[in-house]
Structures are given as structure tokens and as C-alpha cells.
Amino acid sequence: MLEAIRDALDVMMARDPRVVVFGEDVGYFGGVFRATEGLQRKYGPSRCFDTPISETGIVGVAVGMGAYGLRPVAEIQFADYMYPGYDQIVSEAARLRYRSAGEFTAPIVVRMPCGGGIFGGQTHSQSPEALFTHVCGLKTVIPSNPHDAKGLLIAAIEDEDPVIFLEPKRVYNGPFNGHHDQPVVPWSRHPLGEVPDGHYAIPLGQAALRREGAAVTVLAYGTMVHVAEAAVEETGVDAEILDLRSLVPLDVEAIERSVKKTGRCVILHEATRTSGFGAELSAQVQERCFHHLEAPILRVTGWDTPYPHAQEWDYFPGPERVGRALRAVLEG
Amino acid sequence: MTEWGPLSLHVPEPPVRPGGTPDFHHLSIPQAGAVRRPPVDVPAHEIHDLAYSIIRVLNRRGEAVGPWDPGLDAEALKAGLRALLKTRAYDARMMMAQRQGKTSFYMPCTGEEAVACGFQTALAKGDMNFPTYRQQGLLIAQDWPLVDMMCQVFSNERDRLLGRQLPVLYSVREAGFFSVSGNLTTQFVQAVGWAMASAISGDTRVAAAWVGEGSTAESDFHAALVFASVYRPPVILNVVNNQWAISSFQGIAGGESATFAARAHGYGIPSMRVDGNDYLAVHAAACWAVARARRNLGPTLIEWVTYRAGAHSTSDDPSRYRPREESDAWPLGDPIERLKNHLIVLGAWSEERHTQLRAEIEDEVLAAAREAEAHGTLHDGPKPSTAAVFEGVYAEMPRHLREQRQEMGV
Ligand SMILES: Cc1ncc(C[n+]2csc(CCOP(=O)(O)OP(=O)(O)O)c2C)c(N)n1
């Protein structure tokens, strides 16, 4: 998925001279995860460069550049380090269009690796998507595979509004289904590891159907899509899996269609439970599908604690917990 | 178009990249003993020059010279050497432990041991450090048990942080070592708050804030300076300039335009630059700043000039962004070699005794590692409790967490 992200940046930098890429260690080194490797060499240091360690500075200058007319793509080294930049995201990027009556806008993308599964402890594992989806004026995107990552990132860069682009780092180098004791599978052996050349955009706001099924709808995004697939396979439950891909805007039609068909819904995310994005999804399903529901909607999420280091696999909502919810919702 | 032609962006570049010849010409280094030592009640504006020089005590021959010689006796110097060696041996052992899969992660302070070790001995019991992940020397210099530190690194059953925290982000209140945050610079301003609290309470304790030069870019650094400037609390504001912030050289943090010590000038805070690889200079400058704090004269900012000789962390490979030989070309040398040579010049030490001490320390570190490993390592042996995941989120566990704990079945 890293290559796909790099490819998207490369395609857009080549097509559009307004695209500039920056962040901590992003220039010469190519980022701590190497997502921007080679871009400085190819496009020069004024289009791909290192920044001081200041997330408020990174997002703040992106807003200024966007207002000028550039298309900045900023990297926050880990989503866990986004907080100093949060004011610039929430109070500035998200509202600039509204408060200036469209005179100024912030067509920026803020990329950030998120999620756990790498023994990163509480400061390299967080999934803060709900802190963004709660903010009007922002779009929030989270791919689960290389094919989508490239198409969604291109769409995000072409978007007129600020887009938060969350990259589940555990699937950077291969799909991860939550079975941490099994060997890592590379993307080359996964159908969605196939990334078309050149430019293609996946419109924001379209979920992808990952598995058709009749018994229950599973709503997931990011790493949890792969966990859902494993749980479905292991329990034999005939679930329909929707990969939401974009949380705001949200593909409510796809959700509604699926839940009305199955009558049951399980929602997954790695982030903490209380006020997580699952709460919004649950409300949407209840409002739209109440008369079709045959069981209470269930959520499987991270616990409401900081992400622990040593107890990582006790925390991560793996296939076993998801499987239990699938069975429970069928009995309910 | 103006008569000046089109604009262009300045993007700082380090003097050399991998494949090039190391070059430290930009760093101007005064002779040891050349920088004056003002009285501790000197007004900030009278020592602006100290922010553009480097305070040094040990000269090339290993002699202690000039007004900053702290006059430490041979026993104190040997204790310092021991702390430096122990810190280096500890780092080496933990780096190896990470490669052996006993921990997920480690961060060494190789090359900059003298900064933390020389500083700690200037503090008194009750003072509080707000360290970053690279100040393990603060603990080791006060003989905090290595086994305790290792148990944290191994996230085992004896980990005082219950397996929750990333290795090296220690917390040892008893040793005046504040809980290290993974988020850079957040603690720099907290140290100012702690020092303000000491002043509010009419106490005598002082605080020490720590940050890397790269992290001075964060707003929290500037917030710390303005609060320190306004309330003049007893705090030492330490900036460890080890030249690199992961792959970014110090120019990316603004080091091309002014020194990090000079950041204090706009706030009217006394500041100085000190040779961080010179144990004597470190100790002397630390004592000077601590004396100011203790006498209610307010904050001091110190830029420690040093070099990160090792990798940023076990996840990093510095040869990708700087020449491999750069560490050897670092003009301020190695802190251990320099202190050893000084002791030899004093007639209080020899190469043989040094070799013997190093061997003793390596044995001590190895024995500590064996003891810590007996309590488990990240993937092997006894582990911290799973229930600990839910404890300590709040003073009292709320209902929803009790329910989640039950759901997990612990
Ligand atoms: C708020 C925040 N942003 C980014 C990071 C990622 N990060 C960890 S260490 C580091 C470099 C810090 O360099 P410096 O302050 O010079 O200290 P050094 O590592 O050299 O001791 C970065 C960017 C972080 N931990 N926190």
C-alpha cells in the first residue's frame, strides 16, 4: 500500500505543478515509512521537503498554501502526533470556505498513518478518525488496500475541500487479518494489491462491497476489513462486508441497501468505543433501517483505554471477538 | 514580475549526505577555557555572546582549564566516568536485546551520555526532571537500578509501568524523573508549570525541562519560554542539540539562522551554549543554572552541543541520510574518551584501570539483564497483567470499563 500511496503522489505531482508534498523527514529520507521516497529527487526540494517538527506549523502552512492556490499534501508522521495541528485543522482548514463565503478555501490533504498492530504503544497506534468526522467541513478517508489507497488519494488531492487521509500502517506492507501469530502476507498475493498505472480516482463517498452475503451486514474500514473477512471465513457466517473507505462523506445508500437486505448489522473499528465512528454508523442504521432490523446492532471496537504496549493483542479487536459478535447478532 | 525576478524557496540542506566527506566547518569551536564565567545574577542581555560561543573546560591534552572548571575531585570524576560507561553499556545491551526480540523498541543516547550524567549531579533530591526518551543518563547517574529500567524495556511482570508504555518512556517519581511522553515537547512547558508550583508553594525545589533541538520547533517550546520569561520560575530549560532529528539536520529546526540558545534572547532569559561532550563543562554549567534557579533568579536556557552517534532508534538506519563516518569526524570528540584522558592526565587513572572498569561494568549490566529477563521479556516468560489494560484510565474504574473488562474475560 506504501507503493500505491507513493505512486498517487507521483502521478499527481507530475500532472499538477500545484501539488507540493511535505512533512517531518519527508524530503531527502522519503518519510519514516518511505511513502515519499524519491519524490524530492524527482521534483526538487521546493515541491517535496522536510519540515520543522511542528504539526501546527505543517497544517498551518498547508492552509496558507491552499489559500494561495497550491494543492499541499502534508504528512503527519503518526496520527498520534496530529494534536498540535488539530486547531489548524478544526478552526481553520475546516471552516475557511464557510467563514470567508468561499473567498478562501483550504484544498489540502493531511495524510497520517494510524492504527495499531506494530507494538507502537499508545503514541504510535491511535485511530483518531472520529475526532475528524465530528468536524464539519472536513472529509475523512481511510483505505484498506493498495488499489483503493491510490485512487482515493488522487481523489483527495483533486478535492476542493480539506481531506484527512488516514493510512492504517499495519496494512502498509500487506493485508492483516488480526492473526498476529501467522506469517505476514505481501500485497502481491492479494487481488487488491494490483494497482493500475497512471491516473485514476475513486470518488469519495462510495463504499466497496467486499463480500456479498445474506445473514448480516458488517460495516468496516481500514485494517478491520481484513479482520472481518477472516472472522466471516472462520465462523462460516454468510455476512455481507462493506468497506466504507470514506467516512465523511458516507455512502449511506450502500449501508441502507445492505442492512435492509440482511436485517442485521455489526460495526467494527479499532478506535475506542465511546463516541467512536461506530456510534454514528449505528445511529444511521437505526434511523434508516429500524423496521428491517431483526437484532440489536453490535459494535466491536478497541477498548476505552489508551492503546497498551505489551497487551497489544488483548486490545486489538481481532477475528475472535468479531466472530463472537457475528454469532451473537444471528442469535439475537 | 518585479525588477528582482521570481522568488524561490530556501530549503536548508546539510553540508553533506551519504557518500560525501563529513564537514563540520559551520560549527565554530572556541578554545577550552576561553569563555568567561559571569556571576549567576547576571542580567540576560549582558551574556548574549554566550549563546553564540561554546563553554568548554577540557582541552585537547585532557587538562581542565578556564573559569568554568568545576573543580571536581578525582572521586567525583571517577563516579562520572562510571556513569558514562554504564550508560553506554546499558544502551549496547538493550540494543542487542531488541535485535534478539526481547523488546519491541529501544533508543540509545550513545555519544551524548555526558549531558544527562553531568547534569544530574547538579540537582538535589526533590528536584524534578522532565526528560525526553534520550536522558536515561539521569537515572543511571544516580545509580537507579538497571534491573528496574530493563524490566520496563522488556514489558515484563516487574515493569513498573505495567506493560502499558512503550520501552524507554520511563517514569520514576522517586528519582525525580517525570513520566516521559511519546509526544514531543509537551513536557517542556510542564516543567515550567512544576517550577511555578514550587515558587507558588514557597518550596526550594527546582525543575529541569528537556528537549531535542528538532523538537524546539513545536509551539510548546515557545510557550515554555514565554511562561518562564513572565513568571521567572526555578527551571533549567535544556536543549540537547545532537545535530539530528531522525533524518533532519539541525538546519531544519532553524539552526542555520540562529543558535538554539539564542532563542532565549527574545524572552530575556539568560542562555548559553555548552560543549555537551565535556563532562566538566556540563557539570559546571548545570551547577550555574541550578544555582540561579535555587536563588530565585529564574530560568536559564542551555543548549548542549553534542552529536547523536547512534541511530535515532532501533527502527532507524542513519546511513541512509548522513555519511557513516560523520560520527568519527564530530569535532567535540567522545565524552568517555575525554573524561578518561583527563583522569589519566591528573594521574588518577590508567588505560589498564579503564579497561578493567569497563569489563566490570559490562558484567554488571549483563547480570542485571539476566535478572530482568528472569521476570520475562516482551514475548517470553511472565507478563504484566492483562487486567492492567483497564486500570488507571481513571482514579476509579467507571461502569463501562468494568463491563469491557468482563467482556474481555479478565
Ligand atoms: C508531536 C510529535 N511529532 C513527531 C514525533 C515523531 N518523532 C519522534 S522523535 C522525533 C525527532 C526528534 O528529534 P530531536 O528533538 O532533535 O531529538 P533527538 O531524537 O535527536 O534526541 C520525531 C520527529 C513525535 N514523537 N511527537
Side-chain angles (χ1 to χ4, degrees), chain A residues 22-56:
Chain A
F22 51 88
E24 294 158 17
D25 301 292
V26 155
Y28 181 87
F29 188 50
V32 294
F33 289 102
R34 338 265 336 130
T36 56
E37 191 167 27
L39 297 178
Q40 184 177 72
R41 214 176 318 122
K42 190 160 172 191
Y43 298 100
S46 53
R47 291 194 60 205
C48 177
F49 51 88
D50 290 335
T51 63
I53 302 172
S54 167
E55 291 73 14
T56 185

Tab-separated table of all heavy atoms in Angstrom, chain A residues 22-56:
chain	number	residue	atom	x	y	z
A	22	PHE	N	5.021	17.678	1.833
A	22	PHE	CA	5.983	17.981	2.893
A	22	PHE	C	5.550	17.387	4.227
A	22	PHE	O	4.409	16.967	4.402
A	22	PHE	CB	6.179	19.499	3.029
A	22	PHE	CG	4.888	20.275	3.165
A	22	PHE	CD1	4.324	20.495	4.416
A	22	PHE	CD2	4.247	20.777	2.046
A	22	PHE	CE1	3.133	21.197	4.550
A	22	PHE	CE2	3.056	21.483	2.169
A	22	PHE	CZ	2.488	21.693	3.425
A	23	GLY	N	6.498	17.377	5.144
A	23	GLY	CA	6.258	16.831	6.482
A	23	GLY	C	7.607	16.477	7.107
A	23	GLY	O	8.657	16.656	6.478
A	24	GLU	N	7.546	15.964	8.326
A	24	GLU	CA	8.785	15.627	9.034
A	24	GLU	C	9.485	14.445	8.359
A	24	GLU	O	8.846	13.401	8.146
A	24	GLU	CB	8.453	15.288	10.501
A	24	GLU	CG	7.927	16.507	11.255
A	24	GLU	CD	7.087	16.152	12.494
A	24	GLU	OE1	7.154	15.011	12.970
A	24	GLU	OE2	6.359	17.043	12.970
A	25	ASP	N	10.741	14.606	7.986
A	25	ASP	CA	11.563	13.557	7.375
A	25	ASP	C	11.058	13.115	5.991
A	25	ASP	O	11.440	12.059	5.495
A	25	ASP	CB	11.670	12.328	8.303
A	25	ASP	CG	12.275	12.685	9.650
A	25	ASP	OD1	13.468	13.026	9.681
A	25	ASP	OD2	11.550	12.669	10.671
A	26	VAL	N	10.232	13.910	5.376
A	26	VAL	CA	9.564	13.541	4.126
A	26	VAL	C	10.452	13.771	2.894
A	26	VAL	O	10.321	13.089	1.882
A	26	VAL	CB	8.234	14.354	4.028
A	26	VAL	CG1	7.775	14.531	2.601
A	26	VAL	CG2	7.158	13.679	4.874
A	27	GLY	N	11.391	14.721	2.992
A	27	GLY	CA	12.176	15.120	1.815
A	27	GLY	C	13.238	14.116	1.405
A	27	GLY	O	12.936	13.108	0.771
A	28	TYR	N	14.458	14.357	1.786
A	28	TYR	CA	15.583	13.513	1.369
A	28	TYR	C	15.365	12.046	1.746
A	28	TYR	O	15.600	11.143	0.977
A	28	TYR	CB	16.863	14.032	2.020
A	28	TYR	CG	18.093	13.242	1.631
A	28	TYR	CD1	18.820	13.573	0.486
A	28	TYR	CD2	18.530	12.166	2.400
A	28	TYR	CE1	19.937	12.848	0.112
A	28	TYR	CE2	19.645	11.436	2.038
A	28	TYR	CZ	20.346	11.780	0.898
A	28	TYR	OH	21.444	11.058	0.539
A	29	PHE	N	14.917	11.846	2.961
A	29	PHE	CA	14.782	10.492	3.508
A	29	PHE	C	13.568	9.772	2.936
A	29	PHE	O	13.539	8.546	2.830
A	29	PHE	CB	14.662	10.609	5.034
A	29	PHE	CG	14.699	9.314	5.785
A	29	PHE	CD1	15.701	8.384	5.558
A	29	PHE	CD2	13.743	9.039	6.755
A	29	PHE	CE1	15.742	7.194	6.278
A	29	PHE	CE2	13.785	7.856	7.477
A	29	PHE	CZ	14.782	6.936	7.241
A	30	GLY	N	12.548	10.519	2.572
A	30	GLY	CA	11.344	9.911	1.997
A	30	GLY	C	10.339	9.432	3.029
A	30	GLY	O	9.492	8.596	2.732
A	31	GLY	N	10.428	9.997	4.244
A	31	GLY	CA	9.437	9.649	5.275
A	31	GLY	C	9.850	8.435	6.075
A	31	GLY	O	10.529	7.552	5.553
A	32	VAL	N	9.444	8.385	7.341
A	32	VAL	CA	9.868	7.246	8.170
A	32	VAL	C	9.260	5.935	7.677
A	32	VAL	O	9.797	4.864	7.918
A	32	VAL	CB	9.594	7.444	9.679
A	32	VAL	CG1	10.442	8.586	10.243
A	32	VAL	CG2	8.132	7.684	9.978
A	33	PHE	N	8.138	6.011	6.954
A	33	PHE	CA	7.592	4.790	6.347
A	33	PHE	C	7.943	4.699	4.865
A	33	PHE	O	7.492	3.799	4.189
A	33	PHE	CB	6.068	4.737	6.529
A	33	PHE	CG	5.659	4.471	7.950
A	33	PHE	CD1	5.212	5.495	8.769
A	33	PHE	CD2	5.746	3.195	8.478
A	33	PHE	CE1	4.845	5.250	10.086
A	33	PHE	CE2	5.375	2.940	9.792
A	33	PHE	CZ	4.927	3.967	10.593
A	34	ARG	N	8.677	5.701	4.345
A	34	ARG	CA	9.162	5.737	2.960
A	34	ARG	C	8.065	6.018	1.939
A	34	ARG	O	8.216	5.693	0.761
A	34	ARG	CB	9.890	4.434	2.555
A	34	ARG	CG	10.418	3.610	3.688
A	34	ARG	CD	11.847	3.817	4.074
A	34	ARG	NE	12.711	4.339	3.080
A	34	ARG	CZ	13.504	5.368	3.299
A	34	ARG	NH1	13.484	5.964	4.458
A	34	ARG	NH2	14.301	5.800	2.383
A	35	ALA	N	6.974	6.639	2.372
A	35	ALA	CA	5.865	6.897	1.447
A	35	ALA	C	6.220	7.949	0.404
A	35	ALA	O	5.595	8.008	-0.650
A	35	ALA	CB	4.619	7.325	2.222
A	36	THR	N	7.205	8.787	0.703
A	36	THR	CA	7.537	9.858	-0.245
A	36	THR	C	8.933	9.655	-0.848
A	36	THR	O	9.515	10.585	-1.398
A	36	THR	CB	7.471	11.235	0.453
A	36	THR	OG1	8.351	11.214	1.597
A	36	THR	CG2	6.060	11.542	0.936
A	37	GLU	N	9.435	8.444	-0.746
A	37	GLU	CA	10.793	8.156	-1.230
A	37	GLU	C	10.932	8.501	-2.718
A	37	GLU	O	10.084	8.155	-3.531
A	37	GLU	CB	11.100	6.672	-1.036
A	37	GLU	CG	12.554	6.366	-1.261
A	37	GLU	CD	12.929	4.973	-0.768
A	37	GLU	OE1	12.058	4.100	-0.728
A	37	GLU	OE2	14.113	4.799	-0.435
A	38	GLY	N	12.000	9.205	-3.027
A	38	GLY	CA	12.300	9.516	-4.433
A	38	GLY	C	11.606	10.763	-4.957
A	38	GLY	O	11.965	11.274	-6.019
A	39	LEU	N	10.627	11.283	-4.233
A	39	LEU	CA	9.867	12.425	-4.772
A	39	LEU	C	10.702	13.706	-4.768
A	39	LEU	O	10.609	14.512	-5.685
A	39	LEU	CB	8.564	12.621	-3.990
A	39	LEU	CG	7.561	11.457	-4.078
A	39	LEU	CD1	6.330	11.735	-3.225
A	39	LEU	CD2	7.157	11.195	-5.536
A	40	GLN	N	11.517	13.894	-3.743
A	40	GLN	CA	12.348	15.096	-3.724
A	40	GLN	C	13.361	15.058	-4.869
A	40	GLN	O	13.598	16.056	-5.544
A	40	GLN	CB	13.089	15.239	-2.384
A	40	GLN	CG	13.887	16.526	-2.317
A	40	GLN	CD	14.578	16.733	-0.980
A	40	GLN	OE1	15.547	16.055	-0.660
A	40	GLN	NE2	14.073	17.652	-0.191
A	41	ARG	N	13.939	13.885	-5.092
A	41	ARG	CA	14.919	13.749	-6.169
A	41	ARG	C	14.257	14.067	-7.509
A	41	ARG	O	14.817	14.732	-8.359
A	41	ARG	CB	15.492	12.327	-6.177
A	41	ARG	CG	16.935	12.260	-6.592
A	41	ARG	CD	17.511	10.831	-6.495
A	41	ARG	NE	17.098	10.124	-5.292
A	41	ARG	CZ	16.441	8.964	-5.291
A	41	ARG	NH1	16.128	8.356	-6.426
A	41	ARG	NH2	16.094	8.388	-4.155
A	42	LYS	N	13.028	13.615	-7.663
A	42	LYS	CA	12.348	13.770	-8.951
A	42	LYS	C	11.791	15.180	-9.159
A	42	LYS	O	11.862	15.710	-10.260
A	42	LYS	CB	11.222	12.735	-9.024
A	42	LYS	CG	10.572	12.603	-10.371
A	42	LYS	CD	9.844	11.268	-10.480
A	42	LYS	CE	9.028	11.218	-11.770
A	42	LYS	NZ	8.127	10.069	-11.787
A	43	TYR	N	11.254	15.776	-8.104
A	43	TYR	CA	10.544	17.051	-8.291
A	43	TYR	C	11.244	18.248	-7.647
A	43	TYR	O	10.749	19.369	-7.751
A	43	TYR	CB	9.108	16.932	-7.766
A	43	TYR	CG	8.324	15.900	-8.520
A	43	TYR	CD1	8.121	14.620	-7.994
A	43	TYR	CD2	7.824	16.170	-9.787
A	43	TYR	CE1	7.432	13.656	-8.701
A	43	TYR	CE2	7.131	15.214	-10.504
A	43	TYR	CZ	6.935	13.956	-9.958
A	43	TYR	OH	6.256	13.007	-10.669
A	44	GLY	N	12.362	18.002	-6.978
A	44	GLY	CA	13.109	19.112	-6.393
A	44	GLY	C	12.626	19.471	-5.003
A	44	GLY	O	11.490	19.165	-4.622
A	45	PRO	N	13.513	20.142	-4.248
A	45	PRO	CA	13.213	20.410	-2.839
A	45	PRO	C	12.139	21.460	-2.609
A	45	PRO	O	11.654	21.578	-1.488
A	45	PRO	CB	14.560	20.865	-2.265
A	45	PRO	CG	15.353	21.306	-3.432
A	45	PRO	CD	14.874	20.539	-4.632
A	46	SER	N	11.757	22.235	-3.614
A	46	SER	CA	10.664	23.162	-3.290
A	46	SER	C	9.296	22.522	-3.542
A	46	SER	O	8.269	23.113	-3.236
A	46	SER	CB	10.801	24.518	-3.993
A	46	SER	OG	10.966	24.339	-5.365
A	47	ARG	N	9.281	21.279	-4.039
A	47	ARG	CA	7.982	20.590	-4.149
A	47	ARG	C	7.862	19.400	-3.206
A	47	ARG	O	6.773	18.855	-3.027
A	47	ARG	CB	7.730	20.177	-5.597
A	47	ARG	CG	7.487	21.411	-6.472
A	47	ARG	CD	6.917	21.069	-7.811
A	47	ARG	NE	5.649	20.399	-7.721
A	47	ARG	CZ	5.187	19.587	-8.666
A	47	ARG	NH1	5.899	19.347	-9.757
A	47	ARG	NH2	4.010	19.012	-8.526
A	48	CYS	N	8.974	18.990	-2.634
A	48	CYS	CA	8.925	17.905	-1.644
A	48	CYS	C	10.021	18.152	-0.625
A	48	CYS	O	11.198	18.085	-0.954
A	48	CYS	CB	9.117	16.550	-2.331
A	48	CYS	SG	9.160	15.196	-1.135
A	49	PHE	N	9.628	18.494	0.578
A	49	PHE	CA	10.654	18.920	1.532
A	49	PHE	C	10.346	18.531	2.979
A	49	PHE	O	9.203	18.255	3.340
A	49	PHE	CB	10.880	20.437	1.430
A	49	PHE	CG	9.631	21.268	1.504
A	49	PHE	CD1	9.122	21.698	2.718
A	49	PHE	CD2	8.950	21.638	0.336
A	49	PHE	CE1	7.976	22.468	2.785
A	49	PHE	CE2	7.791	22.417	0.397
A	49	PHE	CZ	7.303	22.838	1.619
A	50	ASP	N	11.441	18.527	3.766
A	50	ASP	CA	11.355	18.303	5.212
A	50	ASP	C	10.789	19.549	5.879
A	50	ASP	O	11.088	20.661	5.455
A	50	ASP	CB	12.753	18.092	5.798
A	50	ASP	CG	13.368	16.780	5.373
A	50	ASP	OD1	12.615	15.849	5.046
A	50	ASP	OD2	14.612	16.698	5.363
A	51	THR	N	10.063	19.337	6.960
A	51	THR	CA	9.592	20.487	7.735
A	51	THR	C	10.152	20.409	9.148
A	51	THR	O	10.536	19.336	9.614
A	51	THR	CB	8.062	20.486	7.874
A	51	THR	OG1	7.678	19.317	8.608
A	51	THR	CG2	7.384	20.506	6.519
A	52	PRO	N	10.158	21.545	9.838
A	52	PRO	CA	10.425	21.506	11.276
A	52	PRO	C	9.395	20.604	11.966
A	52	PRO	O	8.314	20.355	11.424
A	52	PRO	CB	10.245	22.961	11.701
A	52	PRO	CG	10.465	23.767	10.459
A	52	PRO	CD	9.944	22.918	9.340
A	53	ILE	N	9.767	20.124	13.162
A	53	ILE	CA	8.862	19.253	13.914
A	53	ILE	C	7.816	20.131	14.594
A	53	ILE	O	7.948	20.523	15.752
A	53	ILE	CB	9.647	18.418	14.947
A	53	ILE	CG1	10.724	17.595	14.233
A	53	ILE	CG2	8.697	17.505	15.721
A	53	ILE	CD1	11.677	16.889	15.166
A	54	SER	N	6.806	20.472	13.835
A	54	SER	CA	5.731	21.306	14.348
A	54	SER	C	4.486	20.978	13.547
A	54	SER	O	4.339	21.397	12.402
A	54	SER	CB	6.086	22.793	14.189
A	54	SER	OG	4.931	23.579	14.396
A	55	GLU	N	3.601	20.208	14.140
A	55	GLU	CA	2.404	19.805	13.412
A	55	GLU	C	1.478	20.992	13.192
A	55	GLU	O	0.816	21.068	12.158
A	55	GLU	CB	1.693	18.671	14.156
A	55	GLU	CG	2.465	17.346	14.157
A	55	GLU	CD	3.691	17.321	15.064
A	55	GLU	OE1	3.823	18.239	15.918
A	55	GLU	OE2	4.515	16.402	14.934
A	56	THR	N	1.467	21.927	14.125
A	56	THR	CA	0.653	23.121	13.894
A	56	THR	C	1.234	23.905	12.730
A	56	THR	O	0.501	24.449	11.894
A	56	THR	CB	0.533	23.980	15.175
A	56	THR	OG1	-0.354	25.052	14.914
A	56	THR	CG2	1.845	24.537	15.639
